[in-house]
Amino acid sequence: LSQELDIVVSGSTEGIVLIHTLKLGTYIRTLVPHIPADPDSDHFTVSFVGIASNGNLVIAGKLPSNKGGHHSVIYLYTINGKLIKRAKLEDETSAMFLEGERVVLGGATGSLEIRDTDYINIKHKLRLKTGVVAIAKDPRNQHLFVTTMDGKLLILTPTAKAYVKGKK
């Protein structure tokens, strides 16, 4: 949800994203990120939705794969419902955190990507030993907390690399 833009966004397993006003709950529009060529085929499943500070909508989910199973994708839309970009993801998205103009995606097999919300370009990428369960930031926006499937809590900070180098 975005108090500044007075909108709330919700997604469903049926592949539909709804946008309403926050104050009155008035319906604004429906987005359908993927329309299958065959109506009887599997459809896009929305896993995560969010609103960036620039007003763009980030939608992550799964599409059926030609080889069976699913593959993860991320869509970026304007607040007016225009598709900006779609990107296929290497890993199934298991966590998403949206802060300002960055989206952090955690994968079921250990990928961690930070992307911009202008064109969903990758800004930073890490490979963890196990899958990501949840992602959060501290109130002062200095640390990124990542919990993993093996029960560990990772605390990431932009200065960690410099700190480790200074300890050698």
Side-chain angles (χ1 to χ4, degrees):
L1 73 105
S2 171
Q3 290 180 332
E4 296 84 17
L5 299 173
D6 187 37
I7 62 170
V8 62
V9 180
S10 63
S12 74
T13 56
E14 287 80 30
I16 296 170
V17 176
L18 298 175
I19 305 172
H20 291 83
T21 62
L22 180 61
K23 291 179 186 168
L24 300 176
T26 307
Y27 168 80
I28 298 174
R29 76 177 36 85
T30 299
L31 299 176
V32 183
H34 177 77
I35 300 171
D38 176 7
D40 295 327
S41 71
D42 288 337
H43 55 270
F44 176 69
T45 301
V46 177
S47 302
F48 300 95
V49 295
I51 307 163
S53 62
N54 60 8
N56 289 339
L57 307 176
V58 179
I59 304 165
K62 296 184 280 190
L63 276 173
S65 173
N66 295 340
K67 300 173 185 176
H70 291 85
H71 64 268
S72 289
V73 292
I74 185 169
Y75 291 90
L76 186 67
Y77 280 88
T78 67
I79 194 71
N80 296 321
K82 180 183 175 195
L83 178 65
I84 298 171
K85 191 172 178 182
R86 172 189 156 186
K88 186 175 177 180
L89 301 172
E90 295 176 12
D91 197 357
E92 180 181 340
T93 305
S94 59
M96 184 174 101
F97 180 79
L98 196 57
E99 176 70 32
E101 294 182 8
R102 296 280 189 259
V103 60
V104 183
L105 300 167
T109 62
S111 68
L112 190 67
E113 295 179 353
I114 300 174
R115 293 175 176 252
D116 66 42
T117 58
D118 293 322
Y119 297 102
I120 55 177
N121 295 322
I122 297 173
K123 296 298 179 186
H124 301 283
K125 190 173 183 177
L126 295 171
R127 175 53 74 183
L128 306 176
K129 292 181 181 179
T130 186
V132 175
V133 175
I135 304 167
K137 269 189 131 178
D138 74 349
R140 296 185 313 181
N141 292 323
Q142 294 179 343
H143 300 91
L144 187 67
F145 299 100
V146 179
T147 55
T148 59
M149 290 185 185
D150 61 0
K152 293 181 180 170
L153 172 64
L154 306 175
I155 302 172
L156 306 174
T157 178
T159 58
K161 193 172 187 179
Y163 177 76
V164 171
K165 283 183 180 178
K167 291 295 248 180
K168 290 183 178 179

